[in-house]
Amino acid sequence: MGERKGVNKYYPPDWTPAMGSLNKYHGTHALRERARKLDQGILIIRFEMPYNIWCDGCKNHIGMGVRYNAQKTKVGMYYTTTIYQFRFKCHLCDNHIEMKTDPQNLDYVIVSGAQRQERRWDPTQNGQVVPEDKETSQKLATDAMYKLEHGVNDQAKGSSVAPSLARLEDRQSRLKDDYLANKILRSRFRVKKHEQARQRDVDAKLLSKSSLDITLVPENPQDVRLAELLRLTPLESFEDVERMRRDEIQNRPIFKESVSTTKNMTSLAKLTKESLNIRLEQQVSMKSLTPSSLGVRVKTSKVNDQNVEGKKQTVTEPTSTSSSLQNSLVCYSDVGTSESDDNS
């Protein structure tokens, strides 16, 4: 490729090797437009996003791996390593984002314009192997006791993770055959694919039957159990309801009673009830009547007349109220005639 490019370069007739390269002859840089700000210490490069971020301008998510035309600038040194800063514009808005390298932590740091989506963790918490930092390396090289303690800790850690390593080795040995592992995986995927296709057909039939345009979610066993407990059918059938209506219509009176007739019947019932109560009270009071309660005093005659003596009667309380009243009046009249005869 280099020979082809070198051979195909065009050299003007007035060019001589003493003039230098073709870029110097034409007064251009080898990087063309990327070096237009090189006099300011800025080089245009193709920058790739190292991790996921959130733009502060439009609040949108920018994924890892998105590429931008960034301005590369030298801003400092970490020992002998250069620290570079990159400035580029968001492709969704006019906000500018600035990032720089962090050689100490082997990472990138956001200076302004964005926020990092935190997905970092401490590798020591999940048992990952962490490279030693410079301080630990210096202690291991200079301090023998620290090196001994560090070795003991490594041995204890190795013995603790030995069962896990054995299980991993066993699993790797079982799946060592790539063809068999791929066959098992594809067979499971095929079964699952057929089940999903069958479920889609069932959902499509249900949606077409109910004339719905919604997305159905998978069935939940609890929802199925609850639906079985519900009873959406009526307690009586249509024929039973119609039979009950016919019976009600047949038992209904032909002529409807008006409001006034109902009131008259109610008042008549009240009067009848009051009259019956009055009659009962009168019968009770008549039963309790006696000659003494009416103020009648029964006197016996002293005349020796046989007719008068034959008319003497001992007043006794009759069984009925009307007969007792009549006897008392008769006795009173007899006594009155006997007294008038004596006076004569």
Side-chain angles (χ1 to χ4, degrees):
M1 294 295 290
E3 292 180 358
R4 181 181 62 80
K5 290 182 179 179
V7 171
N8 292 335
K9 287 183 180 180
Y10 174 74
Y11 291 90
D14 57 347
W15 177 83
T16 59
M19 295 182 181
S21 64
L22 290 176
N23 293 326
K24 186 177 181 181
Y25 174 78
H26 291 293
T28 60
H29 196 274
L31 300 178
R32 299 295 188 272
E33 293 297 327
R34 293 170 55 190
R36 65 180 182 271
K37 296 183 180 180
L38 196 60
D39 57 341
Q40 304 175 10
I42 299 174
L43 178 65
I44 308 299
I45 65 166
R46 193 69 174 166
F47 179 77
E48 184 175 345
M49 190 65 64
Y51 43 73
N52 298 327
I53 65 172
W54 299 96
C55 179
D56 288 343
C58 57
K59 306 300 180 182
N60 288 320
H61 175 265
I62 301 176
M64 181 177 61
V66 180
R67 296 181 179 181
Y68 296 94
N69 293 328
Q71 299 179 4
K72 179 181 177 181
T73 310
K74 180 181 178 181
V75 294
M77 297 289 293
Y78 176 73
Y79 294 102
T80 59
T81 304
T82 307
I83 299 175
Y84 293 102
Q85 183 167 325
F86 308 93
R87 187 174 188 270
F88 52 93
K89 191 179 75 170
C90 177
H91 66 286
L92 299 173
C93 63
D94 295 334
N95 180 43
H96 283 80
I97 303 172
E98 294 184 1
M99 301 179 68
K100 69 177 182 179
T101 58
D102 186 9
Q104 182 179 2
N105 299 319
L106 306 177
D107 200 359
Y108 287 84
V109 179
I110 298 176
V111 179
S112 63
Q115 295 180 0
R116 181 170 183 172
Q117 185 178 4
E118 290 296 339
R119 290 185 177 180
R120 294 174 288 183
W121 64 90
D122 188 3
T124 58
Q125 294 180 357
N126 54 4
Q128 292 184 356
V129 178
V130 182
E132 304 291 349
D133 55 1
K134 291 184 177 181
E135 295 180 359
T136 305
S137 301
Q138 291 177 359
K139 286 185 178 181
L140 290 173
T142 58
D143 193 349
M145 293 300 296
Y146 182 79
K147 183 178 181 180
L148 179 62
E149 293 176 357
H150 196 274
V152 172
N153 293 334
D154 291 342
Q155 291 178 0
K157 186 175 182 181
S159 61
S160 63
V161 299
S164 300
L165 293 176
R167 287 194 298 269
L168 290 175
E169 290 177 357
D170 185 22
R171 184 176 299 176
Q172 290 294 334
S173 63
R174 285 184 297 170
L175 300 177
K176 190 175 181 179
D177 190 357
D178 297 338
Y179 172 76
L180 181 60
N182 190 15
K183 182 179 179 181
I184 295 173
L185 183 62
R186 289 180 66 85
S187 62
R188 292 179 181 177
F189 175 74
R190 193 178 297 108
V191 172
K192 188 175 180 180
K193 185 177 180 181
H194 290 332
E195 291 179 356
Q196 291 178 355
R198 182 178 55 81
Q199 187 64 33
R200 283 197 298 268
D201 295 339
V202 173
D203 295 344
K205 291 179 181 179
L206 180 61
L207 292 175
S208 61
K209 181 179 180 180
S210 56
S211 301
L212 295 176
D213 188 11
I214 59 177
T215 303
L216 298 179
V217 298
E219 291 185 353
N220 190 357
Q222 296 181 357
D223 296 340
V224 174
R225 191 180 301 108
L226 181 61
E228 291 176 354
L229 296 176
L230 295 177
R231 184 176 180 182
L232 301 180
T233 57
L235 298 178
E236 291 114 2
S237 61
F238 179 75
E239 291 78 6
D240 296 339
V241 175
E242 290 295 327
R243 191 181 302 107
M244 293 171 61
R245 289 180 179 176
R246 292 192 189 96
D247 295 342
E248 183 181 356
I249 293 172
Q250 290 177 0
N251 296 330
R252 188 185 302 168
I254 300 175
F255 302 103
K256 294 183 179 180
E257 297 180 357
S258 60
V259 178
S260 59
T261 307
T262 306
K263 290 183 178 180
N264 294 333
M265 294 296 292
T266 305
S267 59
L268 180 60
K270 290 182 179 180
L271 292 174
T272 307
K273 186 176 181 180
E274 291 178 357
S275 61
L276 290 174
N277 293 332
I278 293 172
R279 290 181 181 179
L280 289 174
E281 291 177 359
Q282 289 179 356
Q283 289 180 3
V284 172
S285 60
M286 292 296 290
K287 288 180 180 179
S288 61
L289 289 177
T290 58
S292 59
S293 63
L294 294 174
V296 178
R297 295 179 64 187
V298 180
K299 296 181 180 180
T300 57
S301 175
K302 296 180 181 180
V303 182
N304 293 326
D305 189 59
Q306 293 294 332
N307 294 328
V308 177
E309 288 179 359
K311 294 180 182 180
K312 288 181 180 180
Q313 297 179 3
T314 305
V315 180
T316 58
E317 186 176 355
T319 57
S320 62
T321 307
S322 58
S323 59
S324 61
L325 182 59
Q326 185 177 1
N327 294 334
S328 60
L329 293 175
V330 169
C331 295
Y332 184 78
S333 60
D334 292 340
V335 171
T337 52
S338 61
E339 287 181 355
S340 62
D341 291 339
D342 294 335
N343 293 329
S344 59

